[in-house]
Amino acid sequence: MSSRSWIDCFTTDHKLIGRAMAAAVAIAISCSPALAQPKHRLPSDYKWGRCLLVVSGQTRISGKCSYQIEAGGDFNIQGPRQVFAGIDYPDTHSGAGEMSQDYWADVYKDGDLWAGYANSDIRATHGEDHWEELRREGACYIGKDVKICLWR
């Protein structure tokens, strides 16, 4: 075997070994739990559902959402990109540290009527939009310029 053909063989084998190593590393990384795409976690009292939030003709939430229902029937919905204190960012136990990355709405019983409020900007943690006298129609609560629905 000439020295030239030995070098060519070494170079070819070296390239094959390099490709095999790169493939093995890529497979290991993609299967690694530490590097896998994290699932969005919810607080323990929240669940995934389907929601609709339309305010003044603007659809803010449509489809997948998280929700929480309280004992008296009051509930809140959160868009699918919402973040939660103590899960997605540190819980500062104060309103100053709260964060929001999606739309949300709260519906609550107010005497014999239903009422609600929501953020009008995804970054807002306080509800700027308020509604009185919501009427229930199936899974939806409807008022002047608002429709809030929750399907579990």
Side-chain angles (χ1 to χ4, degrees):
M1 181 182 272
S2 72
S3 64
R4 179 145 176 86
S5 60
W6 178 80
I7 291 171
D8 290 341
C9 182
F10 176 76
T11 303
T12 301
D13 287 346
H14 181 67
K15 287 179 182 175
L16 290 175
I17 290 170
R19 288 183 187 147
M21 292 281 290
V25 168
I27 290 169
I29 288 172
S30 68
C31 295
S32 170
L35 298 174
Q37 182 72 6
K39 289 186 174 181
H40 190 73
R41 296 182 307 156
L42 297 175
S44 61
D45 51 346
Y46 279 74
K47 294 182 170 50
W48 288 110
R50 287 185 320 111
C51 299
L52 178 65
L53 174 60
V54 179
V55 180
S56 299
Q58 177 197 24
T59 301
R60 295 182 181 175
I61 301 174
S62 179
K64 184 177 181 180
C65 68
S66 60
Y67 69 90
Q68 174 192 39
I69 299 177
E70 297 179 14
D74 298 359
F75 68 94
N76 67 68
I77 61 173
Q78 312 276 333
R81 294 175 305 279
Q82 190 58 277
V83 293
F84 297 94
I87 294 177
D88 300 304
Y89 64 93
D91 189 353
T92 61
H93 301 289
S94 79
E98 288 295 311
M99 295 175 62
S100 177
Q101 291 188 1
D102 211 335
Y103 290 109
W104 54 265
D106 284 346
V107 175
Y108 59 94
K109 191 81 163 165
D110 187 17
D112 292 333
L113 303 172
W114 289 93
Y117 60 96
N119 62 343
S120 59
D121 180 297
I122 62 170
R123 295 165 297 192
T125 59
H126 292 56
E128 299 92 10
D129 294 331
H130 294 270
W131 309 287
E132 304 293 325
E133 300 184 23
L134 299 176
R135 69 185 182 284
R136 184 171 181 184
E137 292 184 16
C140 298
Y141 293 78
I142 301 170
K144 184 177 189 254
D145 298 324
V146 66
K147 183 173 188 177
I148 306 165
C149 305
L150 170 60
W151 298 276
R152 302 184 285 164

